[in-house]
Amino acid sequence: MVSSKLLALGLLNSLSALAAPVGGVDGASPNVTSPEAFAKRDFFYVGGSYYFNETLNGTLAVDQMYVEKLTPSCGVKQPYPLVFFHGQGPTGVNWLNTPDGRAGWATYFLNLGYEVYITETVGVGRSASNDFVDYPQAVGATVELAEAAFSAPEKALLYPQAALHTQWPGPGTKGDPIFDQFFATLLPIPTNNTRLQYAMQVAGCALLDIIGPSYLISHSAGTVYPFLLSDKCPDLVVGAVNVEPYNTPFQIYIPETKTNDWGLSEIPVTYEPPVVNPATDLQKVTVGTTTPERYSCILQADPPKKLVNAAKVPVLVLLAEASIHQGWDYCVVDYMRQAGISVNFTQLADIGIHGNAHFMFIEKNSDQIAGVVESWLQNPTTGE
């Protein structure tokens, strides 16, 4: 016969299991409590248009952007909403919870009383396009790339700073359930960046027309969209948080490819003096020497032209100690500052936050880094 003490202990353990917040795949069971914030949820689409597809002899929608609105149950306590843009490969789900089941940045900021809007890039996920001609797709990432660049760079050591990586929650390799959850979020990506940037600029400003002035938070290749919104509708952008930007000036580095003809974008932006043909009007100079730790930068030759609209928007750039972006993110910062944009460039290691790689916002100390963002949102200074 089972003793009353054992029954009580079993009941206590059961109640503890029910009470412990568990998210991600471990939170799928109805018997566990999610760590996510209580929030009202709505979704809608912005941007887009109809076009007639002659092959199908029918009309389709294209260029629409999915938006998920989360309103904190505690009530909106902050003056400006936060709009999140994901990077190339993931979708908006990366902002919701971490692959090991902890609450993500959406919950962090909802608990502080921010209204949160999570976008999905045109042509990706719930913004997928039926226009297969203008939105060709490519593989988002292989397992090998994801491990070497994101979750376990300390094993591959593709770049010297990788040895400093300690913050991934788990071994970061295929077969580990945390990595498997992360890798499942990496989807095919559109490769027509010109069409994509035009569509995202239109849709993004349409969103801000609806919700009003907002802070924009973005990651990696997604950082080009807040930049484009800052150019087209700067009065609606209170500030931009760029988590390891990848709209590097005039090129990308892996693989090394000439791109971003307009400096930080593929599509036209507003310079003073005006730029008509960027190939001739934007005079370039290579600065620095490429080493294993960092690449040389392509910047404007003196005197640089100014990004007069984007310069109205203050920017926070975060760079992690063990990230592959240690090789080039300073090029983005230098170009922005050269063009008149006020940038707070925060190296996490300089403020005592160590061991992070490119997906810092889902790593073990993600809340600590969110706190850095929150401090800047309350006082968007340059930090120069």
Side-chain angles (χ1 to χ4, degrees), residues 20-74:
V22 180
V25 69
D26 292 328
S29 168
N31 296 321
V32 298
T33 302
S34 170
E36 296 299 306
F38 286 103
K40 295 179 180 178
R41 177 184 175 276
D42 299 279
F43 80 90
F44 56 95
Y45 283 83
V46 291
S49 61
Y50 291 106
Y51 84 103
F52 186 79
N53 185 298
E54 294 183 359
T55 302
L56 296 176
N57 193 32
T59 302
L60 300 173
V62 67
D63 295 341
Q64 74 280 9
M65 182 176 77
Y66 173 87
V67 183
E68 188 165 323
K69 174 189 175 185
L70 300 174
T71 304
S73 60
C74 62

Side-chain angles (χ1 to χ4, degrees), residues 196-217:
L196 180 59
Q197 289 181 18
Y198 275 119
M200 286 295 293
Q201 187 182 55
V202 170
C205 286
L207 171 61
L208 298 184
D209 280 337
I210 294 170
I211 68 176
S214 304
Y215 281 108
L216 312 182
I217 300 178

Side-chain angles (χ1 to χ4, degrees), residues 237-252:
V237 183
V238 183
V241 177
N242 293 356
V243 180
E244 302 211 333
Y246 201 37
N247 56 327
T248 42
F250 302 113
Q251 67 178 342
I252 57 174

Side-chain angles (χ1 to χ4, degrees), residues 222-246:
T223 57
V224 69
Y225 307 129
F227 169 67
L228 293 173
L229 271 57
S230 298
D231 180 71
K232 185 177 178 63
C233 49
D235 294 339
L236 295 174
V237 183
V238 183
V241 177
N242 293 356
V243 180
E244 302 211 333
Y246 201 37

